[in-house]
Amino acid sequence: MAAPAEHRAQYRAGLAVPTSGAAPGFTQANLVVLPRDWAWDMLLFAQRNPRPVPVLEVTDPGSPETTLAPGADLRTDLPRYRVWRDGELVDEPTDVCDVWRDDLVAFLIGCSFSFETALRDAGVPVRNLEQGRNVSMYRTSVPCRPAGRLSGPLVVSMRPVPAALVATAVQVTARMPQVHGAPVHVGDPGGLGIADLAAPDYGDPVEAQPGDVPVFWACGVTPQAAVLASRPPLAITHAPGHMFVTDVPDSVYRLP
């Protein structure tokens, strides 16, 4: 299997594919980049909403480097980005060198792809991996706690889990709070204001098997929903499902 650096090299060369299942056993991270004068708002938003926004690292202004993967470049080493201006999506490039500025601060946020290996090790099937699809993600009717100029709805990822293994999935992911932790909801999607599981807002529809139950985890796309609602003058994010693959083993974020 390819090491994280090999995956990043492929993305830097232009490969634009979802990263679910890439570099099993290593942590993946969501990316949110904002101007320095919005960074405090994002820090406060993360502090007030730790389930969807568990911060792993914050960079110095203007720096594209991260201690989570020494030698990597946050401007080039994700498979696909999103560029937002005043809350409007204006581009989905494979690198953001041309829009990077000296005042930009990057936030690396834990990603649920990081616990998929732990789920499989515990015998819990991960249907999106089985089906070769991106995970399903949904905007919910649950508001996040606002912070400064940032506000927006909770976004969740959904994985169908056999009913007999739901408790195992909860126990496994609860031990990994820095990559979203335990589910926020199990069962009826209507409880989160989700009308149709077959029509995710982000990612791909994932087919449940007989006996599966929908299980929902807080999702790191939540800051993108806040960017859309709050309209900073410039923001850069990962495209949903197209994460930053770090050099950090996911075991680092597993509690005993």
Side-chain angles (χ1 to χ4, degrees):
M1 282 182 271
E6 295 176 75
H7 285 281
R8 294 194 301 269
Q10 291 176 328
Y11 306 147
R12 186 180 297 191
L15 180 66
V17 295
T19 57
S20 180
F26 288 88
T27 301
Q28 297 193 29
N30 302 271
L31 178 71
V32 180
V33 183
L34 290 167
R36 183 174 185 171
D37 66 338
W38 281 74
W40 172 252
D41 298 284
M42 179 54 70
L43 281 171
L44 190 59
F45 187 76
Q47 191 275 333
R48 290 179 175 176
N49 302 280
R51 296 288 286 281
V53 197
V55 174
L56 303 181
E57 186 177 20
V58 183
T59 68
D60 292 328
S63 174
E65 300 178 352
T66 169
T67 60
L68 302 180
D73 190 324
L74 295 175
R75 301 170 299 183
T76 60
D77 291 1
L78 283 73
R80 189 171 295 282
Y81 300 80
R82 285 183 160 185
V83 178
W84 308 79
R85 294 191 184 276
D86 299 314
E88 300 292 331
L89 179 63
V90 297
D91 199 6
E92 292 190 272
T94 56
D95 76 73
V96 289
C97 292
D98 60 335
V99 294
W100 197 268
R101 305 187 325 207
D102 289 343
D103 67 329
L104 294 178
V105 177
F107 293 80
L108 291 160
I109 297 163
C111 171
S112 63
F113 288 172
S114 305
F115 60 54
E116 290 180 337
T117 298
L119 287 174
R120 294 181 112 180
D121 288 347
V124 179
V126 180
R127 302 298 188 203
N128 54 292
L129 293 181
E130 292 177 349
Q131 297 167 24
R133 298 180 181 180
N134 198 353
V135 74
S136 301
M137 293 163 273
Y138 307 85
R139 292 164 59 96
T140 74
S141 60
V142 179
C144 290
R145 187 180 171 194
R149 291 165 286 183
L150 288 172
S151 62
L154 172 69
V155 176
V156 295
S157 63
M158 188 281 295
R159 292 168 179 81
V161 175
L165 293 174
V166 169
T168 300
V170 171
Q171 292 167 357
V172 167
T173 56
R175 294 174 54 212
M176 303 181 74
Q178 288 173 287
V179 292
H180 299 304
V184 296
H185 185 74
V186 176
D188 179 18
L192 294 173
I194 299 170
D196 184 2
L197 288 181
D201 296 292
Y202 314 95
D204 299 325
V206 176
E207 297 175 8
Q209 301 302 309
D212 282 353
V213 174
V215 181
F216 301 88
W217 282 267
C219 178
V221 175
T222 298
Q224 293 194 32
V227 164
L228 181 65
S230 306
R231 306 179 70 82
L234 173 65
I236 299 167
T237 67
H238 67 287
H242 297 67
M243 305 299 175
F244 180 68
V245 180
T246 79
D247 290 341
V248 182
D250 61 29
S251 58
V252 170
Y253 297 118
R254 297 191 200 186
L255 298 176

